Amino acid sequence: MTPAMLLRRFCCCNVAYPATRPSATKKQLVFMGSPQVSASVLETLLNASKEPNSIFQLAAIVTQPPSARDRGRRVMPSPVAQLALDWDFSQDRVFTPERAGEENFLAELKSLNPELCVTAAYGNILPTKFLNIPQYGTVNLHPSLLPLYRGAAPVQRALQDGVKETGVSLAFTVRDLDAGPVIASERVNLDDHIKAPELLSLLFDLGSKLLVQELPSIFDGSARVKAQVQDDSKATLAPKITSEESWLSFDQPALVLHNKVRAFAGWPGTRAKVQIVDGKGELDTLELKIITTRICSREGVSSNESDIILHRDALLIPCAGVTALEVLELQPPGKKVMNARAFWNGLRGRRLRLLP
C-alpha cells in the first residue's frame, strides 16, 4: 500500500463509510486517542479484547486526522491510527474527524451502537451530542490525581511545581474540564530526575491496566455508584505549555530551573542564552538547548557571580542565592546533544558567562 493510499483511507471525516457491525455478544467499546501514549493504551485494550474471557471488543477507533510531523514535515497518520493499521483493524471503523461534533461522524458512531467510549489524550472537546451516545457513558484516563492538575498539561505542570507524588485517574467525562466523578486512581512517587516523556509513558501504562481492571464495574453499573465526586475547591489547573515559556532565567533558584527542564523535556524543551568571551575580550551570544540538569550549591566553588565554569564534568551556572544549576547535557545550535565536557572542550579556551 502506498503512503498516499494509506492517508486517503484515514481521511474519513466527511465520508460516510458503511458500518461494519461488531458482534452483539460482547460490550461494544470505542477508543479515542492520538499520540504515542494513547497508542500504548489502545494496544492494551486490543490485547485484552482478544482474551478468551473478554467481555468487550473494539467497535471503533477515533483519532486526530493525519498531520505533518518529523523533520521532513511529512503528512502521517497519528500513532493511534498507525497502530490500527499494524493490527489490521477494520479501516471502515477508524474515524479521523476534525472535530468530534461533526454530524457525519456522530451519525456513523451512533450506527455502531457503542456502549462505552474511552478517551486517552484524544485532543478534542467532546460535545453533549457525543456524550449522549454511549449507554455507559464516556470515561477518560487523565495523568494526574484529580481534581489536581485539570487541563492540557498535567504532567508538565506537576513536574514544574516539583511535586513528590502524582498519578493517573480514571474518571467519567462531563462537559466541564476533567471534572467528572473519579472511578479509580493509581498513585506514583516521583524522584528528582524523571522527565515528562518518561512520566507520561509510566502513567498511561498504569492507566491502561487500571482501565482494563475497572471495565467490568463500568459495564455492570457499579462504577457509577462507587465513583467519587470531585471537590472543586481543591482543583488546580494545568494550562497548555507555550514555546515562549521555554527560556530559563538564572535569577531564579536552581531548583525552579531544574524542575522546568524536567517538565519541558521533549517539547518545547528549555533554552538559555549565554555569552562567549574570547581572549581579546570580544563577546558573542550563544543560544543553548538545556537537556539534563541537577542542582547544587556554589559554596566552596571559586567563580565570579556571572562566570559559567566546568565543575565535575558539568557546566556550573550561578543562580539565585548560593544555588547553581549543573548542566550535564546540552545542544548547541545545529549540533547534536552532547555532554558538558565535550561542549567545554569545543570552546578552545574561550570563557562562558551569563548575559548581564
Side-chain angles (χ1 to χ4, degrees), residues 22-306:
S23 168
T25 61
K26 293 185 177 184
K27 302 295 185 183
Q28 306 305 313
L29 185 151
V30 171
F31 178 79
M32 309 178 72
S34 297
Q36 187 58 50
V37 289
S38 303
S40 68
V41 178
L42 174 58
E43 187 161 32
T44 298
L45 285 173
L46 287 167
N47 281 316
S49 71
K50 303 300 182 185
E51 292 294 324
N53 60 345
S54 174
I55 61 174
F56 75 95
Q57 66 181 22
L58 271 294
I61 295 170
V62 185
T63 187
Q64 292 291 317
S67 60
R69 299 203 312 273
D70 299 335
R71 289 183 179 272
R73 307 303 294 166
R74 292 181 300 161
V75 176
M76 300 173 63
S78 74
V80 162
Q82 185 59 56
L83 182 65
L85 276 175
D86 296 342
W87 272 71
D88 293 325
F89 193 84
S90 179
Q91 293 307 293
D92 64 350
R93 290 189 283 123
V94 177
F95 301 99
T96 60
E98 293 284 349
R99 297 177 304 281
E102 292 177 6
E103 293 299 331
N104 286 346
F105 163 66
L106 291 176
E108 285 292 318
L109 185 67
K110 193 171 184 178
S111 72
L112 294 174
N113 295 317
E115 291 163 281
L116 177 69
C117 289
V118 173
T119 61
Y122 171 50
N124 208 323
I125 295 174
L126 303 180
T128 301
K129 284 184 178 180
F130 178 98
L131 297 176
N132 289 338
I133 292 176
Q135 176 185 348
Y136 297 100
T138 297
V139 297
N140 178 48
L141 278 177
H142 186 76
S144 80
L145 296 174
L146 291 171
L148 301 179
Y149 297 104
R150 295 175 179 174
V155 166
Q156 293 90 337
R157 297 303 183 186
L159 289 177
Q160 188 178 10
D161 289 347
V163 301
K164 298 299 182 183
E165 181 186 64
T166 188
V168 60
S169 301
L170 178 65
F172 285 106
T173 300
V174 297
R175 284 291 291 156
D176 292 335
L177 181 66
D178 299 322
V182 176
I183 301 167
S185 60
E186 192 80 36
R187 294 177 178 271
V188 174
N189 293 322
L190 303 180
D191 62 35
D192 294 333
H193 304 293
I194 191 167
K195 297 179 181 180
E198 293 86 358
L199 182 55
L200 269 169
S201 295
L202 171 63
L203 292 179
F204 276 99
D205 181 59
L206 290 174
S208 64
K209 295 178 176 62
L210 185 66
L211 170 63
V212 172
Q213 173 186 307
E214 293 295 332
L215 281 177
S217 71
I218 296 171
F219 287 129
D220 69 21
S222 60
R224 284 282 183 188
V225 177
K226 72 175 183 178
Q228 297 293 308
V229 176
Q230 294 186 43
D231 184 347
D232 291 341
S233 68
K234 296 180 179 178
T236 58
L237 297 180
K240 184 178 180 180
I241 304 291
T242 66
S243 58
E244 290 76 17
E245 294 181 75
S246 64
W247 292 103
L248 298 179
S249 177
F250 295 102
D251 57 359
Q252 296 179 303
L255 178 59
V256 172
L257 301 181
H258 173 65
N259 287 338
K260 190 171 185 178
V261 171
R262 298 163 58 214
F264 290 13
W267 191 92
T270 43
R271 297 175 291 170
K273 288 183 178 180
V274 298
Q275 283 186 329
I276 298 179
V277 186
D278 64 17
K280 300 178 181 179
E282 295 182 356
L283 306 177
D284 193 14
T285 300
L286 182 64
E287 179 182 315
L288 300 172
K289 188 171 183 179
I290 308 300
I291 306 297
T292 305
T293 59
R294 64 186 176 215
I295 56 176
C296 70
S297 170
R298 280 190 285 149
E299 292 181 346
V301 179
S302 177
S303 68
N304 296 326
E305 286 294 315
S306 61

